[in-house]
Amino acid sequence: MNPEYSSWLRRDFLKLGTAAATAALLQACGGDGDRSDAPESVRWTREGILAALERPGTNLGASSVALLADDRIVWSEAFGYANRDAHQRATVDTRFNIGSGSKMFTALAVMILRDRRMLSLDQPVAELLPSFSMKSPGYTRITARHLISHSSGFPGSNYRNAFNFAFVPGYAQDAFEALKQSRLKHDPGEFGVYCNDGFTLVELIVPELTGQSYTDFIQHELLGPLGMALTGFALAPAAEGTFVHPVWKEQTLPQEMVAPYAAGGLFSTPSDMMKLARMMMDGGVFEGRRIVSDGALQDMGVDQSAMMRIDPAAPSWRWGLGWDTVRQPGLDAAGLLAWKKGGDTQFFHCDFIVLPQARLAAMLVNDNAFTGNRLALLEGLLLRAAQERGVISAVPSAIVSAVPPAVSVTPGAAELTGIYARDGMPVQVLAEAGGALAFRFWTAGEWTVADKGLRLRTDGWWWADGVAERCYAFKTVEGRRYLIQRSLSGNQLYWDEVPVAEWLPEAPAPLPAAWQDRVGSQWRCINDDPESFEGRYEPRTGVIGELAERPGYVMWNDDQLLRVINGNEAGMTVKIPVMAGRDLVELRMEKGEDGEDRLHVGTLVFRPMPEI
């Protein structure tokens, strides 16, 4: 595969051993200082973090890490700069936006309300939020469980005014209005596909049931009792020096203020998040005070995907309630139970892992300058710490992968060809000589070769000669054919297996005249807030097109292929679990007050751009 496109199908985580037990708390800032006396788990991870920061030797990026063993933080360190223009170093108290790490607090809010018998997990959302509705009648079957297990069927994420540089109110209500104009992309509970808007809806349910705002509820019920003084929501600008400034195109930007509070709005530090981990390891109790029931935490750790109808192949994504996976495969390779949650904003990224039985936890956060594999580093840290504690005898060995022999006859290869759609660039599967397959993807208005010479092997997967770290398969579930990618994890401890695209049949009819007349038209968003990322730095635009290889579908912005509903509406086409079907859109054309066409994508409004 061309290295430039190597991630084309992936969207982008007792006491210590003698050395650690006799050492004082390892805490530092800026990645400075001698760590030769630190345990191997710390030294290995430090080296990885320093290597992953952009421009080795300058540390212009920022990162922070913490490791918890039992009830004690045994390592906490920050690296790089909070403000590189001012040469201000990050410290262990410097706050990062943790994005979807916030979902853990949202799920806990639901479980606290369940503990108090204010809701049940399988209670319809329409009962909890009577004003909630959607265009698909199946919305009445969506439950609280569906919202926090990524199985509601919502289209995905409301991105309007999500990432801002000032306080921009009203995000949750805006997402609510977008849902009213939307259809379901799958039946509630049919499968799990990452969905921010399900968690955002909890932001509206909490005040409906409690009379408290969501942010007040989280502060009163979780952050305050846990003593998480460095964790909160960006309701007002933070004091200079307390947070990491984002950097974009070599420009240092103001504080990123994330508006989807329940889906991704918290800032924190790894050390502060270890208080949350302690509470989880102690069955819902923190320093003698019960925060949530032990049963609620255990229920959060139950594999929800086992309750869903479609699960074509995704062993790395065993949804919990709030958790991305309740069997994190890097730790599972050593027989360790681990719950994992990742998070991303426009500029920051994190992974948070709790091992409830081994009583270990860790978090690693970084900005966009971080070039390494964050999850692999966190897995390696926890595995080495578990070995130092005597929980495991050794860190598991890396998988040694080899390309299996090809089968002598390849039956049915031609039947696998065609266009495979997803929430991003379409994939084209082509037949090559001798029963081989090639993959191309659509980008910038043309097809680009991604993989070629793929042959069916004796293990039932399609491999290219000499490429031992990834392979592919095709799986049909309930009449839908999925392209499955299997790739070797960063630590080479497990195979990450996910559906990445779905075969798209020929359209039942050509594009109607109304849509045909719009092909080639370009559009610019007119209702992003001026303080949003798009409003300040990168105006949102789109183009309506048609893919020659699949005529009859509306192509939005050279990415998603949409089915025609009528002359003014186009809707979702694919149902892909896990990630590749996560953020689907619908288009709706209406006339503005000036008589000019307005294109609506959720609550985003676009107007035609002048022809050049």
Side-chain angles (χ1 to χ4, degrees):
M1 182 184 290
N2 185 330
E4 183 179 354
Y5 306 112
S6 60
S7 61
W8 65 284
L9 289 179
R10 294 191 293 273
R11 177 100 37 187
D12 3 345
F13 177 169
L14 302 170
K15 294 182 178 179
L16 285 177
T18 304
T22 58
L25 168 65
L26 291 168
Q27 178 169 307
C29 65
D32 296 326
D34 179 21
R35 296 290 180 275
S36 58
D37 62 342
E40 198 265 343
S41 59
V42 171
R43 287 184 282 109
W44 180 90
T45 310
R46 278 191 94 251
E47 291 170 5
I49 292 172
L50 290 169
L53 289 171
E54 194 175 51
R55 298 178 182 163
T58 60
N59 284 351
L60 290 182
S63 185
S64 188
V65 63
L67 172 65
L68 179 78
D70 277 333
D71 60 353
R72 180 169 175 262
I73 296 174
V74 294
W75 177 40
S76 178
E77 188 167 0
F79 304 79
Y81 287 89
N83 185 335
R84 70 180 195 177
D85 287 356
H87 295 281
Q88 181 182 60
R89 301 299 292 262
T91 76
V92 293
D93 291 336
T94 303
R95 296 175 294 185
F96 290 70
N97 289 336
I98 64 169
S100 289
S102 311
K103 290 181 172 68
M104 297 313 307
F105 296 84
T106 311
L108 283 166
V110 171
M111 303 312 284
I112 289 170
L113 293 175
R114 191 191 71 163
D115 284 347
R116 296 174 184 175
R117 300 189 178 183
M118 300 178 78
L119 60 74
S120 68
L121 288 180
D122 298 313
Q123 185 175 2
V125 171
E127 292 182 6
L128 301 169
L129 204 58
S131 57
F132 170 59
S133 66
M134 295 180 70
K135 287 186 174 180
S136 298
Y139 83 89
T140 59
R141 301 196 302 275
I142 298 171
T143 66
R145 182 190 302 276
H146 295 144
L147 297 184
I148 58 173
S149 64
H150 301 279
S151 58
S152 64
F154 292 163
S157 305
N158 173 37
Y159 284 113
R160 179 172 175 248
N161 301 333
F163 306 110
N164 309 305
F165 300 100
F167 175 66
V168 178
Y171 175 86
Q173 189 62 41
D174 193 66
F176 186 71
E177 295 303 320
L179 288 172
K180 284 186 175 181
Q181 299 299 320
S182 301
R183 298 168 178 82
L184 291 170
K185 67 182 172 190
H186 65 79
D187 290 337
E190 186 176 10
F191 59 82
V193 53
Y194 204 91
C195 179
N196 286 311
D197 284 353
F199 289 80
T200 294
L201 215 58
V202 175
E203 191 175 328
L204 299 176
I205 291 172
V206 167
E208 187 79 17
L209 298 183
T210 69
Q212 283 183 288
S213 71
Y214 174 80
T215 55
D216 284 349
F217 185 86
I218 296 299
Q219 180 64 45
H220 185 264
E221 301 295 338
L222 289 166
L223 302 182
L226 292 171
M228 297 181 68
L230 295 176
T231 304
F233 299 98
L235 305 178
E240 186 63 41
T242 64
F243 63 92
V244 176
H245 278 269
V247 175
W248 181 71
K249 295 185 177 180
E250 301 301 314
Q251 179 183 0
T252 299
L253 304 183
Q255 177 188 1
E256 180 192 45
M257 302 179 73
V258 182
Y261 301 135
L266 281 170
F267 55 75
S268 189
T269 71
S271 294
D272 231 23
M273 288 291 286
M274 293 304 100
K275 297 173 183 177
L276 178 69
R278 277 179 57 193
M279 182 271 287
M280 291 177 163
M281 295 191 304
D282 289 336
V285 174
F286 182 78
E287 296 184 350
R289 176 175 177 175
R290 178 157 296 283
I291 308 298
V292 66
S293 69
D294 181 56
L297 294 177
Q298 296 305 314
D299 285 347
M300 287 173 65
V302 171
D303 180 3
Q304 302 295 308
S305 58
M307 308 176 194
M308 301 173 192
R309 197 169 81 229
I310 296 180
D311 186 17
S316 301
W317 295 83
R318 294 298 176 193
W319 306 109
L321 298 177
W323 297 106
D324 292 341
T325 182
V326 292
R327 284 186 58 187
Q328 206 286 322
L331 285 305
D332 191 49
L336 297 170
L337 174 66
W339 303 332
K340 178 258 182 183
K341 184 74 194 82
D344 303 278
T345 71
Q346 188 81 29
F347 300 99
F348 300 100
H349 316 276
C350 79
D351 276 311
F352 172 65
I353 300 180
V354 176
L355 284 66
Q357 297 171 350
R359 298 190 62 79
L360 282 167
M363 186 177 196
L364 178 59
V365 296
N366 56 265
D367 66 5
N368 283 343
F370 196 88
T371 59
N373 189 316
R374 182 181 59 257
L375 180 56
L377 286 169
L378 207 57
E379 290 170 344
L381 170 63
L382 288 165
L383 286 168
R384 285 161 175 79
Q387 181 185 20
E388 290 160 358
R389 287 162 55 89
V391 177
I392 58 175
S393 58
V395 174
S397 299
I399 294 171
V400 178
S401 177
V403 178
V407 299
S408 56
V409 179
T410 309
E415 298 175 4
L416 303 175
T417 60
I419 300 299
Y420 289 72
R422 55 201 301 268
D423 67 354
M425 59 189 79
V427 181
Q428 184 180 33
V429 177
L430 299 168
E432 293 186 316
L437 296 177
F439 297 158
R440 303 193 304 179
F441 64 87
W442 182 260
T443 179
E446 62 181 11
W447 289 107
T448 303
V449 174
D451 256 324
K452 58 183 179 179
L454 294 157
R455 299 182 183 279
L456 183 62
R457 309 290 170 156
T458 52
D459 64 348
W461 290 79
W462 295 77
W463 303 69
D465 289 333
V467 181
E469 71 275 8
R470 68 182 173 276
C471 55
Y472 305 91
F474 299 86
K475 185 172 183 178
T476 299
V477 179
E478 296 196 351
R480 292 175 176 266
R481 184 196 307 152
Y482 295 105
L483 171 61
I484 311 293
Q485 177 179 275
R486 190 174 70 170
S487 54
L488 203 53
S489 72
N491 275 336
Q492 296 183 270
L493 296 178
Y494 58 94
W495 288 97
D496 192 12
E497 189 175 312
V498 289
V500 292
E502 180 189 336
W503 181 78
L504 192 65
E506 293 183 0
L511 279 183
W515 282 109
Q516 189 62 54
D517 290 344
R518 298 173 186 131
V519 170
S521 60
Q522 299 184 50
W523 302 78
R524 182 180 179 125
C525 186
I526 59 174
N527 69 335
D528 279 313
D529 192 277
E531 292 296 335
S532 69
F533 172 74
E534 291 79 10
R536 265 206 191 196
Y537 298 108
E538 198 166 81
R540 204 186 308 259
T541 60
V543 60
I544 294 174
E546 185 179 28
L547 188 66
E549 289 79 4
R550 272 297 180 270
Y553 289 97
V554 175
M555 183 175 234
W556 171 240
N557 211 25
D558 269 343
D559 262 346
Q560 292 191 31
L561 292 165
L562 309 178
R563 64 184 179 89
V564 172
I565 298 173
N566 54 49
N568 289 314
E569 293 183 281
M572 301 170 284
T573 57
V574 297
K575 298 202 307 185
I576 307 174
V578 186
M579 294 297 276
R582 60 169 281 180
D583 289 328
L584 303 184
V585 301
E586 296 179 300
L587 307 184
R588 186 177 77 257
M589 196 70 66
E590 296 181 358
K591 290 292 183 184
E593 293 181 358
D594 57 1
E596 185 180 52
D597 281 341
R598 294 287 186 270
L599 177 62
H600 295 254
V601 184
T603 56
L604 292 168
V605 181
F606 293 75
R607 71 181 304 166
M609 295 174 64
E611 294 185 12
I612 299 176

